[in-house]
Amino acid sequence: MKTFIFALALLAAAPVMAQEETKDSVKKVQLPAGYTSQIDVVYTKGKDWEQKLDLYLPANTGKPTAVLINIHGGGWNHGTKESQTGFSTFFKMNFAVCNIEYRLTGQATAPAAVEDARCALIYLIKNARALNIDVNRIVIMGGSAGGHLALMAGLLGNDHRFDGNCPGVENVKVAAIIDKYGITDVNDWAYGTNITSKSATRWLGDKAKDPAFIKSVSPINFVNKNNPPVFIVHGDADPTVPYQQSVDLHKKLVEAGVKTEFMTIEGGKHGGFPKEKASELNRAIAKFLVDLGIPDKK
C-alpha cells in the first residue's frame, strides 16, 4: 500500500518536475561585459492576463542607445521569448535588446498579438528615459509570425487602431523593420493558391470570414511612402510561408519609394539557414542598419 501511494505521489509530481526541467534547460542569453538584464517585465495587461518582456541593456554612458525589439515566431499559436537567444550581432553594435512575448491563439485570437506588439513598442517609448534608449533609433525584428507582427507594429506608425490597451503616445515610429520570412498577406496564407495554413484561420478566429478585418491585420495593406526602411529575407524554397509574399511586399515598398532591401536565400527553407548563409544574413542586416546611421558610431 505504501509503495502504491508513493507511486501516485511521483506521478502527481512528474508534470511539475518536467516543467522545471524544461525551464532550467532553456539556453540563456550570453551578455557582453557591461550589459545588465531585466527579466519578465510586465509591459501590458488585462483583467486576467499579462504579457512580459526581457531587456538587455548596455552600460549607461550618458548617451541614449539604439534598441532592438525582437518578436518570436510560431504561427501565432506557439513559441516563447526564451527560445530567442541569438542577439550577438546587435550586442556588437551596442544595441539594447527587448525580447517580447505576446498573447497566442489559445489565449486570444486576432488582433491580440498585434495589440501586444504595438504595446511593447509604446512601452519602450514611454520608458525611454528610464531605460536610456533613443526613441529615434528603435528597430523591430521578427521571424515568420514574428515577422508579421514586426511589420504590423512598424508599418502602422501613428495609426492607433490597435493601441487601445496602451493609449497616450501620439508619435509612434520605428527607425527600421527587419522582416524574416514573415506573413505579409494573412488572407493569402489562409485561403491562397500557394501555401496555406490552418494557423491563419485559427488565429483569425471568428473573424476568419471577415475580409475587411483580415485586410486590417495584413502588413502589405499598410505600405505607404512614410514607412520606415524595411529589410526582408526569405528562402525561395520556404514550405511554410510563400516566398512570393515577400516578393510582393518588396515590390510594393519599392513602388511607394520606401528604402528596402530584399535578400533571397537560394534553396532556403523556413529559417534554419545553413551556417554560412546565416552569417551572411547577419552581416547584411548589420550593414543595412549602419547605412541608415542607427548604431552608435565607433
Side-chain angles (χ1 to χ4, degrees), residues 15-28:
V16 177
M17 292 166 66
Q19 189 177 41
E20 290 175 351
E21 288 170 3
T22 301
K23 186 175 180 180
D24 291 341
S25 65
V26 171
K27 184 180 178 182
K28 303 296 183 183

Side-chain angles (χ1 to χ4, degrees), residues 30 45 59 61 121 126 150 153 204 216 234 263:
Q30 298 299 311
K45 60 184 178 181
T61 60
L121 171 58
K126 285 183 174 179
L204 292 168
S216 78
H234 210 136
M263 181 177 180

Side-chain angles (χ1 to χ4, degrees), residues 118 121 152-160 163 170-173:
R118 286 285 292 183
L121 171 58
M152 284 298 300
L155 296 182
L156 277 164
N158 281 311
D159 183 331
H160 299 292
D163 297 349
E170 289 303 317
N171 191 20
V172 179
K173 63 179 180 179

Side-chain angles (χ1 to χ4, degrees), residues 28-189:
K28 303 296 183 183
V29 174
Q30 298 299 311
L31 296 179
Y35 269 72
T36 57
S37 62
Q38 297 180 22
I39 306 300
D40 288 335
V41 177
V42 175
Y43 72 89
T44 184
K45 60 184 178 181
K47 183 179 179 182
D48 57 356
W49 59 271
E50 60 183 20
Q51 296 304 311
K52 300 173 182 178
L53 56 77
D54 297 339
L55 290 163
Y56 305 105
L57 304 170
N60 188 338
T61 60
K63 179 183 177 182
T65 60
V67 59
L68 171 77
I69 301 174
N70 182 72
I71 310 177
H72 71 79
W76 307 291
N77 57 51
H78 67 281
T80 65
K81 61 181 171 61
E82 287 79 16
S83 68
Q84 309 288 288
T85 58
F87 304 124
S88 61
T89 296
F90 296 91
F91 291 152
K92 289 174 183 176
M93 294 187 288
N94 204 46
F95 269 72
V97 171
C98 172
N99 187 28
I100 77 167
E101 65 181 18
Y102 52 90
R103 283 172 290 168
L104 302 175
T105 300
Q107 184 176 11
T109 54
V114 178
E115 293 171 347
D116 292 350
R118 286 285 292 183
C119 282
L121 171 58
I122 291 169
Y123 175 89
L124 291 186
I125 295 171
K126 285 183 174 179
N127 294 278
R129 180 170 293 183
L131 297 172
N132 193 45
I133 58 175
D134 188 342
V135 296
N136 295 309
R137 294 192 290 155
I138 300 174
V139 177
I140 188 163
M141 177 177 79
S144 193
H148 163 269
L149 296 174
L151 287 166
M152 284 298 300
L155 296 182
L156 277 164
N158 281 311
D159 183 331
H160 299 292
R161 70 181 73 188
F162 296 122
D163 297 349
N165 291 331
C166 44
V169 174
E170 289 303 317
N171 191 20
V172 179
K173 63 179 180 179
V174 300
I177 301 169
I178 301 169
D179 163 33
K180 298 180 175 181
Y181 39 90
I183 300 100
T184 67
D185 185 336
V186 177
N187 185 73
D188 178 67
W189 205 41

